[in-house]
Structures are given as C-alpha cells and as structure tokens.
C-alpha cells in the first residue's frame, strides 16, 4: 500500500497527525467510495487499513466541513486584508 499505514500501526506519538490531517479524510473518502463494496479484494484492502464502507457518508461530511471552514477562513482573511490596505 505504499505510504499508507493502518491506524493501529502508527506510533503513539504520531497518532495525532493521523486524526488531525484533513487530507486523510479526503483520501479515505475517495478510496472508500471507489473500492468499497465493489469487490472482495477492495473490502479486504479497506479492512487492512481499518476503514469501512459503511462509514462512507461520515467521510463526506468531514470533507465538506473542512472545505467550508477553509473557504470561510479564506473569505474572512481576504476581507480583513482588503480593509487593512484602505
């Protein structure tokens, strides 16, 4: 699987990066959507990564929330930047 590690194989002092990284949620959502439930091999790969096809909507919610927060932060930052230059 290359650079992907299951959560239970990540050292304890790095596990916070696993849960904090927004790209993990996006990648997890894409992978679960593409290979989950399609073939037994895909389900086996998801099981190895401790991901689940049954939780696929949760990943979509998290990705949407992260996108909304970053877009809102960008709008606020751009507004503040515009008012500082005046």
């Amino acid at each position: 699987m290359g650079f992907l590690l299951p959560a239970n194989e990540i050292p304890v002092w790095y596990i916070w990066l696993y849960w904090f990284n927004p790209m993990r949620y996006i990648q997890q959502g894409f992978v679960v959507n593409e290979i989950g439930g399609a073939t037994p091999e895909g389900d086996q790969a998801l099981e190895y990564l401790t991901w689940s096809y049954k939780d696929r909507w949760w990943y979509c919610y998290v990705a949407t929330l992260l996108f909304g927060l970053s877009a809102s932060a960008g709008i606020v930052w751009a507004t503040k930047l515009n008012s500082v230059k005046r």
Side-chain angles (χ1 to χ4, degrees), residues 61-78:
Y61 296 142
V62 170
T64 303
L65 177 68
L66 291 172
F67 177 76
L69 288 174
S70 60
S72 298
I75 290 170
V76 168
W77 180 77

Side-chain angles (χ1 to χ4, degrees), residues 32 51-59:
V32 167
W51 297 348
S52 172
Y53 183 67
K54 296 174 187 163
D55 296 335
R56 65 188 179 277
W57 293 113
W58 185 80
Y59 305 129

Side-chain angles (χ1 to χ4, degrees), residues 3-14:
F3 63 95
L4 295 176
L5 288 174
N8 56 1
E9 291 184 14
I10 298 175
V12 177
W13 53 89
Y14 287 131

Side-chain angles (χ1 to χ4, degrees), residues 13-68:
W13 53 89
Y14 287 131
I15 197 68
W16 66 274
L17 287 170
Y18 176 79
W19 293 109
F20 186 70
N21 186 4
M23 292 304 292
R24 178 193 70 95
Y25 294 102
I26 295 169
Q27 180 183 23
Q28 192 170 356
F30 284 145
V31 170
V32 167
N33 185 44
E34 288 299 318
I35 68 171
T39 63
E41 293 84 11
D43 290 337
Q44 194 174 21
L46 291 177
E47 186 177 311
Y48 171 74
L49 293 170
T50 65
W51 297 348
S52 172
Y53 183 67
K54 296 174 187 163
D55 296 335
R56 65 188 179 277
W57 293 113
W58 185 80
Y59 305 129
C60 294
Y61 296 142
V62 170
T64 303
L65 177 68
L66 291 172
F67 177 76

